[in-house]
Amino acid sequence: MIGDLEEIDPNDVAAVFYQPNDDVDKLLADFAQDLARQGVRVGGIVQRHFKGANGTHAMVAVDVATGQEISISKPLDSGAMSCTLDTNGLAEAAAVVSRALHDKVDLLVISKFAKQEALGRGLRAEFIDAITRGVPLLTAVPRKCLADWRTFTGDVGTLLLCDRQVVEQWWRDSSTRLARSRVFSPRCGYLATMIPDSLMTAVRLSGTQAPKAPARLLGRLRKAP
């Protein structure tokens, strides 16, 4: 769990909650690219998955600022149908995130908080650095790792539905607060949500303990275009 969470603005930490059939990688990649075209200083990484002719899978991390692709997986063997993470590639991806933090970007994107981060590996250290610095952070969390994410963040942050309009609404609100130089920014430790009650009920029934949705955020979502 991250320390000094009382100093963190929960609105600056957003995680897209996704399920197996959701293409969250494309959502984050397209969103980051569109913001960059609008002049927003976006940094960090997104992921892309490829399937080879022999059925093997490969993953690359993409630097959202430069488009550079970094291989973060390697086949288990010549005939493997799956892959394992490449520690050298992960270290290079971590360096991209660290540079973005050093450059003080407007928005940091880290592809996802998943199994490796839940186990204390992957980009966990970069997540801690981003959150404690107060840099607006957008990431994604799979259903199976939601409880780990909540423990890691101490219930600080906002959950977003895996939907482009919802993500855009969050960024409009976040960037507006930044433009106002945080004249007023209430600090409190809680996990807000912009996910409809019906979906969160389904999550609870599946065995994952999900947070209750504050009425003010749900109301804002229902008014969004």
Side-chain angles (χ1 to χ4, degrees), residues 200-222:
M200 298 313 292
T201 299
V203 172
R204 287 193 288 273
L205 290 175
S206 70
T208 302
Q209 293 299 315
K212 293 183 179 180
R216 67 179 185 85
L217 283 178
L218 286 177
R220 185 175 61 194
L221 175 59
R222 291 175 182 135

Side-chain angles (χ1 to χ4, degrees), residues 118-133:
L119 293 173
R121 301 193 289 265
L123 298 180
R124 188 181 179 100
E126 285 66 38
F127 271 105
I128 293 174
D129 197 12
I131 293 172
T132 54
R133 285 174 181 244

Side-chain angles (χ1 to χ4, degrees), residues 15-19 111-113 139-143 145-146 149 159:
V16 177
F17 173 77
Y18 70 96
Q19 308 209 47
S111 55
K112 62 191 63 174
F113 181 97
T139 187
V141 178
R143 180 175 61 183
C145 294
L146 179 58
W149 170 253
L159 283 177

Side-chain angles (χ1 to χ4, degrees), residues 11-12 35 40 106-107 136 168-182:
N11 299 294
D12 284 344
L35 284 186
V40 178
D106 300 321
L107 174 64
E168 288 177 348
Q169 180 65 53
W170 167 79
W171 175 244
R172 280 194 295 268
D173 293 344
S174 181
S175 59
T176 297
R177 284 190 299 273
L178 289 174
R180 292 173 179 170
S181 301
R182 301 177 186 266

